[in-house]
Amino acid sequence: MDENTKPTNFIRDFIDEDIKSNKHNGKVITRFPPEPNGYLHIGHAKSICLNFGIAIDYHGLCNLRFDDTNPTKEEVEYVESIEEDVRWLGFDWDDRMYYASDYFQKLYDFAVQLIKEGKAYVDASTTEEIKDHRGVPTEAGTESPYRNRPIEESLELFEGMKDGKYEDGKYVLRAKVDMNSPNMIMRDPVIYRIKKAEHHRTGNKWCIYPMYDYAHPISDWIEGITHSLCTLEFEIHRPIYDWFLIELHLENRPRQIEFARLSLNYTIMSKRKLLELVEGKYVAGWDDPRMPTISGLRRRGYTPESIRNFAEKVGVAKRDAITDVALLEHSIREDLNKRAPRVMAVLNPLKVIITNYPDDKTEDLEAINNPEDLSAGTRKLEFSKVVYIEQDDFKEIPPPKFKRLIPGGEVRLKNAYIIKCDEVIKNENGDVIELHCTFDPETKSGSEGSKRKVKGTIHWVSASNAIKMEVRLYDRLFLVENPDADAEKDFKELLNPHSLDILNECLIEPGIANAKPGDKFQFERLGYFCVDPLSNDEKIVFNRTVSLRDTWAKIETKNK
Ligand code: ATP
Ligand code: MG
């Protein structure tokens, strides 16, 4: 790995240390272990970039493993969406796609081994009793009356649990760890429970299912994982992670390393809550462009590169913090600025008649496709007697410092001419519906006369060939920075009622007619937009990915 270009962080330090001591023969194998109970979100993207990124940098491997130990909440739809999202982000697991459910038999056999060695027992206590006996951190817990039942009895009962002899909740298998541990997780955790539910892969073969704390370390070990990266809430689970591997006498044990989870302001990251938004139709689905899901961001116009860069910028930390969504927006602007072709589009059109322009004339003007990338070339823009400008770019009574069009004032039409507003036409309600302007033929863009200075430059489209489109403007999904913070209020009450604004009368250059879903553009002066998959031949729909105003860049410059 090139030491100079890659970030160093505490995770990489641990790995370097293990490589130096030749642990695992210097190999690095990580895994990304989603539970298929929802779509992936930007927080998962951080974990994906971290796990796959480390594997790439250390010439190791990263497995995709579905942590499907809970039969009731998991669906095939989620599995497929997860595969799609990880691939889209640019990562590949070759043939190493695994399921924790592939290991159900092995996990069962290991549990039998634990019972045989007196390290696990079948408990008939109820969930409440188990909870009560566990006690509080400052006081020892109470041992279950079943804790010392004979090994033979536990073996028989556990087999009966597996064979479906008992109803849900009748028995559980618990690890015999330490009821006096100050770490509550170590107080004889439940490792198997009865659940007569159909599993998306194993069907009805199993009616007992292993708990995460038990299944995870063993699944890691089975796959030869060397470094098991997880979020901070698992830090207190690390002793139990190690306990199972040690008590099962497993060699080459993986090392669990925890990092801070990603949180973003103005959104939520809990899959349960995201599912609530989808099921309650508060959003149009998991891939609604307002959602923090990878599929939502993709539909919104985010690129894999921008998300990978974002993950890199956020870095890994040992303490939880909320990341400003402005940093994510900055990452997509940075990427699209380099490669999105510029076009002119008018969202709220105001008709402008250029009275001194010949009635039937049209002419071709030249426009640069991307000033950041001159290899993107130029295109022809048609100019004609009637053009449309943005309603906002004209003010009859201008606020202070207004540099655009006012009655009697001049403005430059980008890539075209300077025009002057001679007359303002209103309807019976007093709304401005049309402007009559004159153009100065000497000021054609690129000509000598174009050097004449006016205060403002605005975008426009020509009535002769502009096409109509629908534009969807998105705003933050929530009104408050941290929708999870207010325990009193249901998070759904904090949704931003104006998070989606649909504009139907927008006009755009005709070149766009051939754009395909997912194509991205900068609408001059307005922001970055991407063609929505809803679009068809009859109707082009654009999603605004992000506006042009970069609040993050501003913060960065200020801090320099
Ligand atoms: P839930 O507990 O709501 O089911 P989860 O966030 O634990 O969700 P998983 O599918 O278990 O979801 O997560 C898969 C992996 O992604 C885990 O290793 C988890 O630590 C990581 N991950 C999940 N959320 C984040 C986040 N916000 N930031 C970083 N990593 C995350
Ligand atoms: Mg989880």
Side-chain angles (χ1 to χ4, degrees):
M1 182 179 87
D2 184 350
E3 307 282 300
N4 299 322
T5 53
K6 277 292 153 198
T8 59
N9 58 49
F10 66 94
I11 297 179
R12 287 166 186 265
D13 290 346
F14 282 144
I15 296 176
D16 291 339
E17 199 178 286
D18 289 345
I19 290 176
K20 221 178 234 165
S21 67
N22 207 31
K23 200 176 165 193
H24 307 291
N25 297 317
K27 272 191 303 190
V28 175
I29 307 179
T30 57
R31 84 287 170 264
F32 173 63
E35 186 179 348
N37 61 350
Y39 279 56
L40 297 181
H41 53 58
I42 183 77
H44 293 113
K46 171 177 171 175
S47 175
I48 293 166
C49 292
L50 184 63
N51 279 295
F52 281 92
I54 280 180
I56 291 168
D57 290 344
Y58 285 92
H59 307 292
L61 299 171
C62 179
N63 299 347
L64 174 62
R65 180 194 322 137
F66 291 101
D67 171 20
D68 58 350
T69 50
N70 186 354
T72 48
K73 289 193 278 176
E74 293 156 3
E75 283 179 35
V76 179
E77 177 196 348
Y78 298 140
V79 169
E80 286 169 359
S81 76
I82 290 170
E83 284 182 68
E84 184 186 358
D85 289 350
V86 177
R87 272 216 186 85
W88 178 77
L89 276 176
F91 299 108
D92 190 5
W93 52 88
D94 297 318
D95 55 354
R96 297 179 320 283
M97 182 164 107
Y98 303 118
Y99 291 87
S101 57
D102 292 341
Y103 312 138
F104 279 172
Q105 184 61 48
K106 283 187 183 154
L107 290 163
Y108 178 80
D109 294 342
F110 277 130
V112 170
Q113 185 185 326
L114 285 176
I115 302 173
K116 282 185 177 160
E117 295 187 16
K119 295 165 185 168
Y121 58 96
V122 171
D123 195 341
S125 309
T126 63
T127 314
E128 270 83 71
E129 283 165 345
I130 291 177
K131 199 169 150 238
D132 289 347
H133 289 163
R134 197 167 271 155
V136 291
T138 47
E139 274 168 48
T142 320
E143 290 190 359
S144 158
Y146 306 98
R147 195 174 200 259
N148 295 312
R149 75 158 81 219
I151 289 175
E152 281 312 314
E153 218 176 279
S154 276
L155 281 174
E156 202 182 310
L157 287 169
F158 189 49
E159 191 171 357
M161 284 166 64
K162 179 195 64 154
D163 292 340
K165 284 195 187 154
Y166 314 113
E167 290 316 303
D168 290 12
K170 173 98 171 99
Y171 293 112
V172 291
L173 183 69
R174 294 178 73 179
K176 197 188 275 188
V177 188
D178 179 5
M179 288 308 287
N180 301 325
S181 173
N183 181 344
M184 301 292 285
I185 308 265
M186 300 299 271
R187 294 189 181 175
D188 290 11
V190 171
I191 60 180
Y192 265 95
R193 69 237 197 268
I194 303 169
K195 211 167 205 178
K196 293 196 168 152
E198 194 172 304
H199 186 279
H200 75 118
R201 296 191 78 238
T202 57
N204 292 309
K205 176 155 189 252
W206 293 91
C207 59
I208 54 170
Y209 291 94
M211 304 300 283
Y212 177 90
D213 276 345
Y214 172 72
H216 205 77
I218 298 174
S219 303
D220 280 347
W221 180 83
I222 292 170
E223 291 177 17
I225 301 302
T226 58
H227 299 88
S228 181
L229 313 182
C230 62
T231 38
L232 276 185
E233 70 272 23
F234 290 103
E235 193 166 11
I236 51 164
H237 296 248
R238 197 186 330 139
I240 196 70
Y241 182 98
D242 292 335
W243 190 90
F244 286 118
L245 298 174
I246 292 168
E247 297 305 323
L248 287 165
H249 322 290
L250 301 175
E251 302 288 325
N252 290 318
R253 294 193 294 273
R255 174 176 192 165
Q256 176 178 305
I257 308 171
E258 310 85 16
F259 62 95
R261 61 171 50 228
L262 173 80
S263 308
L264 273 186
N265 56 5
Y266 296 102
T267 192
I268 49 169
M269 225 62 103
S270 141
K271 280 192 273 187
R272 181 182 60 77
K273 289 182 180 172
L274 293 173
L275 177 65
E276 233 180 292
L277 294 182
V278 173
E279 288 187 332
K281 301 212 178 335
Y282 294 92
V283 292
W286 284 99
D287 70 344
D288 186 299
R290 290 167 290 184
M291 291 279 270
T293 51
I294 297 180
S295 47
L297 291 166
R298 172 165 65 234
R299 190 162 165 197
R300 176 100 172 229
Y302 275 79
T303 60
E305 292 80 358
S306 68
I307 295 178
R308 293 201 302 262
N309 283 335
F310 168 71
E312 186 117 324
K313 278 184 188 136
V314 171
V316 285
K318 260 289 182 196
R319 199 173 317 151
D320 281 320
I322 297 184
T323 300
D324 193 336
V325 66
L327 180 61
L328 179 64
E329 293 172 347
H330 172 71
S331 299
I332 186 64
R333 283 191 192 97
E334 206 174 44
D335 188 24
L336 293 182
N337 182 40
K338 284 180 278 177
R339 48 182 170 152
R342 276 53 171 172
V343 294
M344 290 205 282
V346 174
L347 301 188
N348 297 294
L350 173 62
K351 192 176 190 177
V352 172
I353 297 178
I354 301 171
T355 49
N356 61 339
Y357 199 85
D359 281 358
D360 306 324
K361 182 176 166 179
T362 59
E363 70 181 298
D364 280 341
L365 304 168
E366 188 159 78
I368 291 172
N369 287 331
N370 185 350
E372 300 291 322
D373 172 17
L374 293 180
S375 73
T378 59
R379 68 187 184 286
K380 297 264 175 276
L381 278 181
E382 193 170 288
F383 190 73
S384 68
K385 187 181 181 77
V386 182
V387 299
Y388 289 94
I389 65 170
E390 213 65 68
Q391 286 170 17
D392 269 357
D393 282 336
F394 171 78
K395 286 274 182 293
E396 205 174 8
I397 302 161
K401 294 195 186 144
F402 186 78
K403 293 197 179 110
R404 293 162 279 164
L405 200 56
I406 58 173
E410 282 187 320
V411 78
R412 169 169 287 282
L413 295 180
K414 178 141 187 153
N415 299 311
Y417 299 95
I418 290 174
I419 58 167
K420 180 175 175 209
C421 176
D422 305 314
E423 196 180 345
V424 182
I425 314 291
K426 296 182 184 174
N427 64 13
E428 60 272 23
N429 302 325
D431 308 321
V432 177
I433 52 163
E434 200 172 291
L435 301 178
H436 289 183
C437 298
T438 42
F439 85 117
D440 177 351
E442 300 302 315
T443 58
K444 182 166 164 176
S445 182
S447 74
E448 214 21 51
S450 73
K451 293 194 183 124
R452 178 152 90 75
K453 288 266 179 299
V454 284
K455 276 196 193 134
T457 300
I458 63 175
H459 60 275
W460 55 276
V461 294
S462 170
S464 59
N465 67 356
I467 50 182
K468 207 157 149 182
M469 57 169 176
E470 176 178 310
V471 171
R472 301 183 169 195
L473 302 178
Y474 300 99
D475 198 352
R476 291 173 169 144
L477 188 52
F478 287 93
L479 293 168
V480 296
E481 276 208 41
N482 185 356
D484 288 319
D486 193 341
E488 301 286 291
K489 258 202 183 126
D490 181 348
F491 73 102
K492 298 190 293 302
E493 288 171 35
L494 302 168
L495 282 164
N496 176 4
H498 307 293
S499 59
L500 170 61
D501 190 8
I502 300 180
L503 304 175
N504 281 305
E505 301 295 319
C506 311
L507 295 168
I508 191 164
E509 291 179 24
I512 224 71
N514 302 320
K516 293 179 298 301
D519 282 357
K520 297 161 181 68
F521 300 90
Q522 184 194 100
F523 290 1
E524 298 259 17
R525 299 178 61 233
L526 296 174
Y528 294 99
F529 291 74
C530 123
V531 182
D532 190 88
L534 282 181
S535 302
N536 53 39
D537 289 345
E538 266 114 78
K539 186 163 132 189
I540 303 180
V541 178
F542 273 95
N543 293 321
R544 182 172 68 190
T545 310
V546 70
S547 67
L548 289 180
R549 201 163 47 102
D550 195 332
T551 49
W552 188 262
K554 242 188 219 158
I555 297 168
E556 266 188 338
T557 359
K558 221 175 20 196
N559 292 342
K560 263 183 196 152

